[in-house]
Amino acid sequence: MTTIRLVDAAAVTGKTKEIFDAVLLRERRVFGAESVSNIWRCMGHAPALLEANWNRSRALMQRGRFSPLQRELIATAVSVANACTY
Amino acid sequence: MRLGVDEVGVTELMGVTEHARAMATAAAGLLLDAPDTGRPLIAPLDASAPAPEARAILDEITAWSREALGSSEPPLLWRILAHNPHYLEATWHKETAVMAAGALDVHDKRRVALGVAMAVRGRYMIEYSAAILRRAGDDDRDLLEVLGVVDHYTTLNTLSEGLQIDSDIKPAT
């Protein structure tokens, strides 16, 4: 069980809301999400961290030479190697 | 799965992942990750004079090495495993089966193997996979792109494990 409360995506404002909207747009396109995923909601408690990681996500997962599939293959393998169940 | 990979592709991906992780463990166990500090745990066999049982496999690896690495000598790891021909044969056959083209292509699989080696900090297998990728045409920017994904997912994995975040992402059906 998650050890902290997750930020309510419907209650955020300002920069956090802007990022959550962008995250949801992407997640809807990539895996059909209907709400912001928990990993990003947890970061909502620390907006500077949220923004830094979202900027890195855009730089590393949405831009470059590799196809989305090629990046996701590596991402999945790394998550398994790191023993991450999320 | 939504990106077009079916169960066969996912299983192949897990095969590459576990194989790359196991190879990194083997290399580390043989002290190949610390070449500056001295010799590996076990001295490699002379590839030109292997035991008869290991000869055919080492010849096969030598031919592969010429093509994939531009080297007429098999990598150190394989020459060490050659002390036990059964170990060598089973591992080489697994390598060729797991890394061959299937639902996923050979180059993508090698990039995955590099990503896993980076994630588990396996120096020898990082160098091994990077050398194969460079020979196949990848440049510094491509290798950095692999590292970027490894780096970013290590961030997300750490957060989700550290906070024990429940997964809310369901596989597509």
Side-chain angles (χ1 to χ4, degrees), chain A residues 2-9 12-13 15-17 19-20 23 27 36-58 61 84 86, chain B residues 151-166 168-169:
Chain A
T2 306
T3 55
I4 58 170
R5 281 181 308 105
L6 294 170
V7 170
D8 179 358
V12 297
T13 57
K15 189 74 184 172
T16 301
K17 177 175 172 18
I19 294 172
F20 274 13
V23 168
E27 293 189 329
V36 177
S37 62
N38 289 349
I39 183 76
W40 293 103
R41 285 176 63 201
C42 88
M43 287 182 243
H45 290 292
L49 177 68
L50 172 69
E51 185 173 2
N53 277 332
W54 176 239
N55 285 340
R56 290 211 335 140
S57 177
R58 291 168 63 213
M61 298 304 291
C84 179
Y86 183 85
Chain B
D151 174 348
H152 183 56
Y153 267 74
T154 298
T155 288
L156 298 183
N157 297 158
T158 303
L159 281 171
S160 59
E161 284 303 296
L163 295 171
Q164 293 290 292
I165 298 170
D166 297 322
D168 53 331
I169 301 168

Tab-separated table of all heavy atoms in Angstrom, chain A residues 2-9 12-13 15-17 19-20 23 27 36-58 61 84 86, chain B residues 151-166 168-169:
chain	number	residue	atom	x	y	z
A	2	THR	N	0.454	2.229	-0.755
A	2	THR	CA	1.222	3.472	-0.839
A	2	THR	C	1.391	4.083	0.544
A	2	THR	O	0.434	4.159	1.315
A	2	THR	CB	0.499	4.466	-1.777
A	2	THR	OG1	0.277	3.818	-3.022
A	2	THR	CG2	1.327	5.705	-2.006
A	3	THR	N	2.625	4.513	0.854
A	3	THR	CA	2.903	4.981	2.217
A	3	THR	C	2.553	6.449	2.437
A	3	THR	O	2.611	6.924	3.566
A	3	THR	CB	4.390	4.759	2.570
A	3	THR	OG1	5.190	5.405	1.573
A	3	THR	CG2	4.725	3.298	2.628
A	4	ILE	N	2.230	7.173	1.362
A	4	ILE	CA	1.754	8.546	1.550
A	4	ILE	C	0.422	8.700	0.826
A	4	ILE	O	0.093	7.911	-0.051
A	4	ILE	CB	2.759	9.594	0.987
A	4	ILE	CG1	3.014	9.346	-0.508
A	4	ILE	CG2	4.059	9.576	1.770
A	4	ILE	CD1	3.790	10.454	-1.188
A	5	ARG	N	-0.322	9.719	1.226
A	5	ARG	CA	-1.565	10.016	0.503
A	5	ARG	C	-1.195	10.487	-0.894
A	5	ARG	O	-0.214	11.210	-1.074
A	5	ARG	CB	-2.347	11.131	1.205
A	5	ARG	CG	-3.135	10.699	2.418
A	5	ARG	CD	-3.889	11.896	3.029
A	5	ARG	NE	-3.018	13.048	3.293
A	5	ARG	CZ	-2.992	14.161	2.560
A	5	ARG	NH1	-3.785	14.318	1.517
A	5	ARG	NH2	-2.170	15.148	2.881
A	6	LEU	N	-1.975	10.095	-1.872
A	6	LEU	CA	-1.724	10.569	-3.230
A	6	LEU	C	-2.470	11.880	-3.426
A	6	LEU	O	-3.587	12.053	-2.930
A	6	LEU	CB	-2.193	9.530	-4.248
A	6	LEU	CG	-1.393	8.218	-4.231
A	6	LEU	CD1	-2.086	7.158	-5.087
A	6	LEU	CD2	0.021	8.448	-4.711
A	7	VAL	N	-1.839	12.789	-4.120
A	7	VAL	CA	-2.471	14.088	-4.377
A	7	VAL	C	-3.726	13.879	-5.234
A	7	VAL	O	-3.715	13.093	-6.183
A	7	VAL	CB	-1.465	15.014	-5.102
A	7	VAL	CG1	-2.141	16.269	-5.615
A	7	VAL	CG2	-0.308	15.365	-4.163
A	8	ASP	N	-4.788	14.561	-4.869
A	8	ASP	CA	-6.029	14.502	-5.646
A	8	ASP	C	-5.836	15.337	-6.915
A	8	ASP	O	-5.704	16.570	-6.850
A	8	ASP	CB	-7.182	15.055	-4.786
A	8	ASP	CG	-8.510	15.054	-5.552
A	8	ASP	OD1	-8.514	14.666	-6.742
A	8	ASP	OD2	-9.520	15.465	-4.950
A	9	ALA	N	-5.838	14.666	-8.044
A	9	ALA	CA	-5.542	15.363	-9.302
A	9	ALA	C	-6.589	16.421	-9.632
A	9	ALA	O	-6.305	17.382	-10.354
A	9	ALA	CB	-5.428	14.354	-10.447
A	12	VAL	N	-5.734	20.062	-7.705
A	12	VAL	CA	-4.485	20.830	-7.855
A	12	VAL	C	-4.707	22.071	-8.727
A	12	VAL	O	-5.659	22.136	-9.507
A	12	VAL	CB	-3.339	19.972	-8.445
A	12	VAL	CG1	-2.999	18.839	-7.513
A	12	VAL	CG2	-3.705	19.450	-9.836
A	13	THR	N	-3.823	23.020	-8.553
A	13	THR	CA	-3.938	24.275	-9.315
A	13	THR	C	-2.561	24.680	-9.850
A	13	THR	O	-1.550	24.065	-9.515
A	13	THR	CB	-4.454	25.419	-8.402
A	13	THR	OG1	-3.539	25.541	-7.297
A	13	THR	CG2	-5.857	25.154	-7.899
A	15	LYS	N	0.907	25.432	-11.577
A	15	LYS	CA	1.894	24.648	-12.336
A	15	LYS	C	1.638	23.150	-12.208
A	15	LYS	O	1.787	22.385	-13.171
A	15	LYS	CB	3.291	24.996	-11.808
A	15	LYS	CG	4.403	24.431	-12.635
A	15	LYS	CD	4.553	25.203	-13.941
A	15	LYS	CE	5.611	24.590	-14.837
A	15	LYS	NZ	5.633	25.196	-16.177
A	16	THR	N	1.243	22.719	-11.001
A	16	THR	CA	0.987	21.294	-10.796
A	16	THR	C	-0.164	20.828	-11.685
A	16	THR	O	-0.096	19.769	-12.320
A	16	THR	CB	0.675	21.009	-9.309
A	16	THR	OG1	1.801	21.446	-8.536
A	16	THR	CG2	0.435	19.538	-9.059
A	17	LYS	N	-1.213	21.620	-11.772
A	17	LYS	CA	-2.351	21.260	-12.635
A	17	LYS	C	-1.910	21.212	-14.109
A	17	LYS	O	-2.271	20.292	-14.842
A	17	LYS	CB	-3.496	22.258	-12.453
A	17	LYS	CG	-4.675	21.958	-13.385
A	17	LYS	CD	-5.854	22.848	-13.127
A	17	LYS	CE	-6.979	22.727	-14.160
A	17	LYS	NZ	-7.019	21.570	-14.996
A	19	ILE	N	1.018	20.506	-15.253
A	19	ILE	CA	1.810	19.291	-15.504
A	19	ILE	C	0.919	18.051	-15.473
A	19	ILE	O	1.029	17.174	-16.325
A	19	ILE	CB	2.976	19.180	-14.486
A	19	ILE	CG1	3.963	20.327	-14.727
A	19	ILE	CG2	3.676	17.826	-14.606
A	19	ILE	CD1	5.065	20.455	-13.684
A	20	PHE	N	0.013	17.982	-14.503
A	20	PHE	CA	-0.900	16.827	-14.444
A	20	PHE	C	-1.706	16.717	-15.746
A	20	PHE	O	-1.930	15.620	-16.253
A	20	PHE	CB	-1.846	16.955	-13.242
A	20	PHE	CG	-1.274	16.408	-11.954
A	20	PHE	CD1	0.067	16.094	-11.823
A	20	PHE	CD2	-2.107	16.206	-10.839
A	20	PHE	CE1	0.593	15.593	-10.634
A	20	PHE	CE2	-1.602	15.698	-9.649
A	20	PHE	CZ	-0.250	15.397	-9.541
A	23	VAL	N	0.590	15.292	-18.306
A	23	VAL	CA	0.846	13.875	-18.020
A	23	VAL	C	-0.345	13.031	-18.482
A	23	VAL	O	-0.177	12.006	-19.156
A	23	VAL	CB	1.091	13.654	-16.504
A	23	VAL	CG1	1.068	12.167	-16.159
A	23	VAL	CG2	2.426	14.269	-16.075
A	27	GLU	N	-0.408	10.003	-21.054
A	27	GLU	CA	-0.741	8.654	-20.599
A	27	GLU	C	-1.995	8.121	-21.303
A	27	GLU	O	-2.116	6.927	-21.531
A	27	GLU	CB	-0.922	8.643	-19.073
A	27	GLU	CG	0.404	8.915	-18.358
A	27	GLU	CD	0.348	8.697	-16.860
A	27	GLU	OE1	-0.738	8.912	-16.279
A	27	GLU	OE2	1.380	8.310	-16.276
A	36	VAL	N	-4.641	10.616	-14.029
A	36	VAL	CA	-3.183	10.719	-13.860
A	36	VAL	C	-2.696	9.522	-13.022
A	36	VAL	O	-3.289	9.202	-11.984
A	36	VAL	CB	-2.814	12.038	-13.135
A	36	VAL	CG1	-1.316	12.119	-12.880
A	36	VAL	CG2	-3.291	13.236	-13.945
A	37	SER	N	-1.645	8.862	-13.470
A	37	SER	CA	-1.202	7.651	-12.763
A	37	SER	C	-0.606	8.001	-11.392
A	37	SER	O	-0.140	9.120	-11.152
A	37	SER	CB	-0.196	6.874	-13.610
A	37	SER	OG	0.935	7.667	-13.830
A	38	ASN	N	-0.623	6.996	-10.525
A	38	ASN	CA	-0.223	7.202	-9.124
A	38	ASN	C	1.218	7.705	-8.974
A	38	ASN	O	1.511	8.486	-8.063
A	38	ASN	CB	-0.390	5.898	-8.336
A	38	ASN	CG	-1.854	5.562	-8.126
A	38	ASN	OD1	-2.722	6.386	-8.393
A	38	ASN	ND2	-2.126	4.341	-7.657
A	39	ILE	N	2.110	7.248	-9.856
A	39	ILE	CA	3.516	7.655	-9.737
A	39	ILE	C	3.649	9.177	-9.859
A	39	ILE	O	4.425	9.808	-9.148
A	39	ILE	CB	4.411	6.924	-10.776
A	39	ILE	CG1	5.886	7.279	-10.606
A	39	ILE	CG2	3.998	7.211	-12.207
A	39	ILE	CD1	6.544	6.615	-9.463
A	40	TRP	N	2.854	9.781	-10.737
A	40	TRP	CA	2.921	11.241	-10.888
A	40	TRP	C	2.131	11.942	-9.786
A	40	TRP	O	2.509	13.017	-9.321
A	40	TRP	CB	2.423	11.658	-12.280
A	40	TRP	CG	3.360	11.185	-13.344
A	40	TRP	CD1	3.196	10.116	-14.175
A	40	TRP	CD2	4.661	11.725	-13.658
A	40	TRP	NE1	4.295	9.960	-14.988
A	40	TRP	CE2	5.207	10.933	-14.695
A	40	TRP	CE3	5.417	12.800	-13.170
A	40	TRP	CZ2	6.464	11.184	-15.255
A	40	TRP	CZ3	6.673	13.045	-13.728
A	40	TRP	CH2	7.182	12.252	-14.751
A	41	ARG	N	1.045	11.310	-9.343
A	41	ARG	CA	0.260	11.921	-8.252
A	41	ARG	C	1.097	12.027	-6.972
A	41	ARG	O	0.985	12.992	-6.227
A	41	ARG	CB	-1.007	11.111	-7.992
A	41	ARG	CG	-2.074	11.329	-9.077
A	41	ARG	CD	-3.280	10.452	-8.847
A	41	ARG	NE	-3.958	10.753	-7.596
A	41	ARG	CZ	-4.778	9.902	-6.972
A	41	ARG	NH1	-5.001	8.695	-7.482
A	41	ARG	NH2	-5.364	10.251	-5.856
A	42	CYS	N	1.950	11.038	-6.734
A	42	CYS	CA	2.763	11.098	-5.504
A	42	CYS	C	3.713	12.296	-5.562
A	42	CYS	O	3.977	12.948	-4.554
A	42	CYS	CB	3.501	9.785	-5.262
A	42	CYS	SG	5.110	9.657	-6.048
A	43	MET	N	4.188	12.600	-6.754
A	43	MET	CA	5.144	13.713	-6.885
A	43	MET	C	4.459	15.070	-6.722
A	43	MET	O	5.141	16.091	-6.536
A	43	MET	CB	5.870	13.651	-8.238
A	43	MET	CG	6.899	12.553	-8.339
A	43	MET	SD	7.744	12.615	-9.945
A	43	MET	CE	7.270	11.063	-10.667
A	44	GLY	N	3.146	15.082	-6.804
A	44	GLY	CA	2.410	16.336	-6.643
A	44	GLY	C	2.644	17.009	-5.300
A	44	GLY	O	2.437	18.203	-5.138
A	45	HIS	N	3.103	16.237	-4.308
A	45	HIS	CA	3.415	16.818	-2.998
A	45	HIS	C	4.645	17.728	-3.059
A	45	HIS	O	4.851	18.557	-2.177
A	45	HIS	CB	3.694	15.712	-1.964
A	45	HIS	CG	2.479	14.936	-1.589
A	45	HIS	ND1	1.436	15.480	-0.889
A	45	HIS	CD2	2.140	13.637	-1.819
A	45	HIS	CE1	0.501	14.554	-0.692
A	45	HIS	NE2	0.901	13.431	-1.254
A	46	ALA	N	5.484	17.498	-4.055
A	46	ALA	CA	6.726	18.283	-4.177
A	46	ALA	C	6.790	18.819	-5.609
A	46	ALA	O	7.404	18.201	-6.487
A	46	ALA	CB	7.940	17.405	-3.877
A	47	PRO	N	6.150	19.956	-5.847
A	47	PRO	CA	6.032	20.460	-7.218
A	47	PRO	C	7.361	20.621	-7.966
A	47	PRO	O	7.418	20.395	-9.174
A	47	PRO	CB	5.344	21.819	-7.023
A	47	PRO	CG	4.570	21.663	-5.755
A	47	PRO	CD	5.409	20.781	-4.888
A	48	ALA	N	8.421	20.972	-7.249
A	48	ALA	CA	9.715	21.136	-7.938
A	48	ALA	C	10.216	19.789	-8.459
A	48	ALA	O	10.762	19.699	-9.565
A	48	ALA	CB	10.739	21.755	-6.988
A	49	LEU	N	10.008	18.743	-7.645
A	49	LEU	CA	10.397	17.393	-8.076
A	49	LEU	C	9.530	16.944	-9.252
A	49	LEU	O	10.022	16.382	-10.231
A	49	LEU	CB	10.246	16.412	-6.905
A	49	LEU	CG	10.553	14.938	-7.211
A	49	LEU	CD1	12.037	14.749	-7.505
A	49	LEU	CD2	10.138	14.036	-6.045
A	50	LEU	N	8.220	17.201	-9.137
A	50	LEU	CA	7.290	16.850	-10.217
A	50	LEU	C	7.734	17.499	-11.528
A	50	LEU	O	7.831	16.837	-12.564
A	50	LEU	CB	5.877	17.334	-9.846
A	50	LEU	CG	4.814	17.216	-10.943
A	50	LEU	CD1	4.475	15.755	-11.219
A	50	LEU	CD2	3.553	18.001	-10.553
A	51	GLU	N	8.019	18.773	-11.466
A	51	GLU	CA	8.384	19.492	-12.679
A	51	GLU	C	9.717	18.983	-13.251
A	51	GLU	O	9.849	18.771	-14.456
A	51	GLU	CB	8.467	21.007	-12.404
A	51	GLU	CG	8.734	21.801	-13.664
A	51	GLU	CD	8.661	23.319	-13.446
A	51	GLU	OE1	8.439	23.752	-12.300
A	51	GLU	OE2	8.828	24.041	-14.437
A	52	ALA	N	10.686	18.759	-12.371
A	52	ALA	CA	11.996	18.279	-12.835
A	52	ALA	C	11.867	16.909	-13.498
A	52	ALA	O	12.436	16.659	-14.563
A	52	ALA	CB	12.971	18.208	-11.656
A	53	ASN	N	11.081	16.019	-12.873
A	53	ASN	CA	10.952	14.677	-13.446
A	53	ASN	C	10.098	14.675	-14.714
A	53	ASN	O	10.345	13.896	-15.636
A	53	ASN	CB	10.403	13.692	-12.412
A	53	ASN	CG	11.507	13.165	-11.511
A	53	ASN	OD1	12.667	13.100	-11.928
A	53	ASN	ND2	11.162	12.803	-10.292
A	54	TRP	N	9.095	15.541	-14.769
A	54	TRP	CA	8.290	15.622	-15.993
A	54	TRP	C	9.138	16.159	-17.142
A	54	TRP	O	9.073	15.643	-18.269
A	54	TRP	CB	7.052	16.501	-15.762
A	54	TRP	CG	6.243	16.685	-17.013
A	54	TRP	CD1	5.938	17.855	-17.626
A	54	TRP	CD2	5.631	15.655	-17.814
A	54	TRP	NE1	5.197	17.630	-18.759
A	54	TRP	CE2	4.995	16.294	-18.896
A	54	TRP	CE3	5.576	14.264	-17.721
A	54	TRP	CZ2	4.298	15.583	-19.884
A	54	TRP	CZ3	4.891	13.550	-18.710
A	54	TRP	CH2	4.261	14.211	-19.759
A	55	ASN	N	9.967	17.155	-16.847
A	55	ASN	CA	10.853	17.675	-17.892
A	55	ASN	C	11.825	16.594	-18.374
A	55	ASN	O	12.107	16.483	-19.563
A	55	ASN	CB	11.639	18.891	-17.381
A	55	ASN	CG	10.760	20.126	-17.298
A	55	ASN	OD1	9.706	20.186	-17.948
A	55	ASN	ND2	11.158	21.099	-16.492
A	56	ARG	N	12.310	15.773	-17.436
A	56	ARG	CA	13.213	14.674	-17.838
A	56	ARG	C	12.448	13.613	-18.609
A	56	ARG	O	12.967	13.027	-19.561
A	56	ARG	CB	13.890	14.072	-16.605
A	56	ARG	CG	14.879	15.044	-16.027
A	56	ARG	CD	16.085	14.470	-15.342
A	56	ARG	NE	15.979	13.149	-14.798
A	56	ARG	CZ	16.975	12.267	-14.890
A	56	ARG	NH1	18.091	12.574	-15.511
A	56	ARG	NH2	16.861	11.087	-14.344
A	57	SER	N	11.230	13.353	-18.215
A	57	SER	CA	10.420	12.375	-18.946
A	57	SER	C	10.221	12.818	-20.392
A	57	SER	O	10.346	12.031	-21.328
A	57	SER	CB	9.068	12.208	-18.248
A	57	SER	OG	8.258	11.318	-18.977
A	58	ARG	N	9.927	14.098	-20.555
A	58	ARG	CA	9.740	14.615	-21.919
A	58	ARG	C	11.042	14.546	-22.709
A	58	ARG	O	11.063	14.157	-23.874
A	58	ARG	CB	9.224	16.057	-21.876
A	58	ARG	CG	7.793	16.131	-21.357
A	58	ARG	CD	7.392	17.552	-21.039
A	58	ARG	NE	7.391	18.387	-22.218
A	58	ARG	CZ	7.705	19.697	-22.223
A	58	ARG	NH1	8.039	20.284	-21.092
A	58	ARG	NH2	7.661	20.383	-23.327
A	61	MET	N	12.005	10.406	-22.804
A	61	MET	CA	11.058	9.400	-23.292
A	61	MET	C	10.239	9.866	-24.499
A	61	MET	O	9.567	9.070	-25.135
A	61	MET	CB	10.101	8.991	-22.160
A	61	MET	CG	10.776	8.348	-20.963
A	61	MET	SD	11.770	6.886	-21.392
A	61	MET	CE	10.499	5.694	-21.854
A	84	CYS	N	11.229	-3.685	-9.764
A	84	CYS	CA	10.148	-2.749	-9.479
A	84	CYS	C	8.828	-3.322	-9.973
A	84	CYS	O	8.687	-3.628	-11.159
A	84	CYS	CB	10.424	-1.415	-10.165
A	84	CYS	SG	9.125	-0.205	-9.886
A	86	TYR	N	5.826	-1.795	-9.795
A	86	TYR	CA	4.861	-0.790	-10.260
A	86	TYR	C	4.680	-0.861	-11.769
A	86	TYR	O	3.628	-0.885	-12.294
A	86	TYR	CB	5.318	0.615	-9.876
A	86	TYR	CG	4.326	1.708	-10.265
A	86	TYR	CD1	3.251	2.033	-9.436
A	86	TYR	CD2	4.448	2.393	-11.467
A	86	TYR	CE1	2.346	3.020	-9.791
A	86	TYR	CE2	3.539	3.386	-11.830
A	86	TYR	CZ	2.491	3.693	-10.988
A	86	TYR	OH	1.588	4.663	-11.346
B	151	ASP	N	18.314	5.747	-16.807
B	151	ASP	CA	18.399	6.775	-15.766
B	151	ASP	C	16.989	7.183	-15.312
B	151	ASP	O	16.658	7.137	-14.107
B	151	ASP	CB	19.170	7.959	-16.386
B	151	ASP	CG	19.241	9.190	-15.511
B	151	ASP	OD1	18.525	9.267	-14.515
B	151	ASP	OD2	20.009	10.103	-15.857
B	152	HIS	N	16.133	7.529	-16.275
B	152	HIS	CA	14.793	8.017	-15.916
B	152	HIS	C	13.972	6.919	-15.231
B	152	HIS	O	13.266	7.177	-14.258
B	152	HIS	CB	14.081	8.516	-17.168
B	152	HIS	CG	12.733	9.091	-16.890
B	152	HIS	ND1	12.537	10.126	-15.993
B	152	HIS	CD2	11.500	8.774	-17.371
B	152	HIS	CE1	11.241	10.414	-15.943
B	152	HIS	NE2	10.602	9.610	-16.761
B	153	TYR	N	14.070	5.690	-15.725
B	153	TYR	CA	13.279	4.621	-15.099
B	153	TYR	C	13.842	4.214	-13.746
B	153	TYR	O	13.098	3.736	-12.891
B	153	TYR	CB	13.067	3.438	-16.061
B	153	TYR	CG	11.757	3.680	-16.771
B	153	TYR	CD1	11.678	4.657	-17.766
B	153	TYR	CD2	10.578	3.068	-16.357
B	153	TYR	CE1	10.462	4.979	-18.349
B	153	TYR	CE2	9.362	3.389	-16.936
B	153	TYR	CZ	9.306	4.334	-17.922
B	153	TYR	OH	8.097	4.669	-18.476
B	154	THR	N	15.123	4.419	-13.536
B	154	THR	CA	15.663	4.179	-12.195
B	154	THR	C	15.057	5.197	-11.230
B	154	THR	O	14.722	4.864	-10.078
B	154	THR	CB	17.202	4.236	-12.219
B	154	THR	OG1	17.665	3.197	-13.086
B	154	THR	CG2	17.784	4.036	-10.837
B	155	THR	N	14.871	6.418	-11.693
B	155	THR	CA	14.171	7.436	-10.888
B	155	THR	C	12.755	6.965	-10.543
B	155	THR	O	12.354	6.946	-9.366
B	155	THR	CB	14.061	8.756	-11.699
B	155	THR	OG1	15.344	9.360	-11.785
B	155	THR	CG2	13.107	9.736	-11.036
B	156	LEU	N	12.003	6.583	-11.569
B	156	LEU	CA	10.598	6.195	-11.327
B	156	LEU	C	10.508	4.931	-10.479
B	156	LEU	O	9.641	4.820	-9.599
B	156	LEU	CB	9.877	6.002	-12.667
B	156	LEU	CG	9.781	7.243	-13.563
B	156	LEU	CD1	8.988	6.926	-14.827
B	156	LEU	CD2	9.142	8.430	-12.844
B	157	ASN	N	11.407	3.966	-10.729
B	157	ASN	CA	11.407	2.736	-9.940
B	157	ASN	C	11.705	3.022	-8.472
B	157	ASN	O	11.101	2.436	-7.564
B	157	ASN	CB	12.471	1.745	-10.463
B	157	ASN	CG	12.229	1.272	-11.881
B	157	ASN	OD1	13.147	0.829	-12.557
B	157	ASN	ND2	11.006	1.370	-12.371
B	158	THR	N	12.648	3.922	-8.224
B	158	THR	CA	13.031	4.259	-6.844
B	158	THR	C	11.875	4.928	-6.121
B	158	THR	O	11.559	4.585	-4.965
B	158	THR	CB	14.266	5.176	-6.847
B	158	THR	OG1	15.324	4.532	-7.556
B	158	THR	CG2	14.726	5.481	-5.429
B	159	LEU	N	11.230	5.861	-6.797
B	159	LEU	CA	10.072	6.529	-6.187
B	159	LEU	C	8.955	5.528	-5.892
B	159	LEU	O	8.385	5.511	-4.795
B	159	LEU	CB	9.530	7.608	-7.132
B	159	LEU	CG	10.282	8.937	-7.165
B	159	LEU	CD1	9.742	9.793	-8.296
B	159	LEU	CD2	10.131	9.666	-5.827
B	160	SER	N	8.638	4.694	-6.866
B	160	SER	CA	7.484	3.815	-6.676
B	160	SER	C	7.771	2.735	-5.636
B	160	SER	O	6.875	2.370	-4.862
B	160	SER	CB	7.027	3.208	-8.003
B	160	SER	OG	8.052	2.473	-8.578
B	161	GLU	N	9.022	2.247	-5.583
B	161	GLU	CA	9.350	1.263	-4.547
B	161	GLU	C	9.474	1.937	-3.177
B	161	GLU	O	9.001	1.420	-2.177
B	161	GLU	CB	10.646	0.534	-4.900
B	161	GLU	CG	10.479	-0.513	-5.986
B	161	GLU	CD	9.440	-1.568	-5.640
B	161	GLU	OE1	9.645	-2.315	-4.672
B	161	GLU	OE2	8.404	-1.624	-6.332
B	162	GLY	N	10.110	3.103	-3.163
B	162	GLY	CA	10.313	3.812	-1.893
B	162	GLY	C	9.014	4.194	-1.223
B	162	GLY	O	8.903	4.179	0.002
B	163	LEU	N	8.032	4.534	-2.027
B	163	LEU	CA	6.733	4.943	-1.479
B	163	LEU	C	5.691	3.832	-1.582
B	163	LEU	O	4.531	4.034	-1.230
B	163	LEU	CB	6.233	6.200	-2.213
B	163	LEU	CG	7.105	7.455	-2.011
B	163	LEU	CD1	6.668	8.575	-2.938
B	163	LEU	CD2	7.059	7.919	-0.564
B	164	GLN	N	6.137	2.664	-2.067
B	164	GLN	CA	5.238	1.507	-2.206
B	164	GLN	C	3.947	1.905	-2.934
B	164	GLN	O	2.827	1.629	-2.464
B	164	GLN	CB	4.914	0.901	-0.830
B	164	GLN	CG	6.111	0.253	-0.144
B	164	GLN	CD	6.532	-1.031	-0.837
B	164	GLN	OE1	5.809	-2.018	-0.819
B	164	GLN	NE2	7.703	-1.009	-1.474
B	165	ILE	N	4.122	2.553	-4.054
B	165	ILE	CA	2.963	3.052	-4.794
B	165	ILE	C	2.244	1.894	-5.490
B	165	ILE	O	2.862	1.106	-6.211
B	165	ILE	CB	3.395	4.113	-5.830
B	165	ILE	CG1	4.026	5.299	-5.094
B	165	ILE	CG2	2.217	4.569	-6.671
B	165	ILE	CD1	4.696	6.287	-5.997
B	166	ASP	N	0.945	1.797	-5.239
B	166	ASP	CA	0.148	0.738	-5.882
B	166	ASP	C	0.043	1.035	-7.363
B	166	ASP	O	-0.203	2.172	-7.780
B	166	ASP	CB	-1.260	0.701	-5.280
B	166	ASP	CG	-1.217	0.353	-3.799
B	166	ASP	OD1	-0.393	-0.480	-3.427
B	166	ASP	OD2	-2.001	0.955	-3.025
B	168	ASP	N	-1.647	1.391	-10.751
B	168	ASP	CA	-3.001	1.685	-11.231
B	168	ASP	C	-3.037	1.558	-12.754
B	168	ASP	O	-3.978	2.009	-13.385
B	168	ASP	CB	-3.390	3.110	-10.817
B	168	ASP	CG	-2.351	4.137	-11.261
B	168	ASP	OD1	-1.168	3.773	-11.367
B	168	ASP	OD2	-2.726	5.285	-11.507
B	169	ILE	N	-2.003	0.941	-13.304
B	169	ILE	CA	-1.939	0.806	-14.758
B	169	ILE	C	-2.235	-0.638	-15.127
B	169	ILE	O	-1.491	-1.539	-14.766
B	169	ILE	CB	-0.548	1.236	-15.284
B	169	ILE	CG1	-0.285	2.682	-14.874
B	169	ILE	CG2	-0.471	1.071	-16.807
B	169	ILE	CD1	1.133	3.137	-15.083
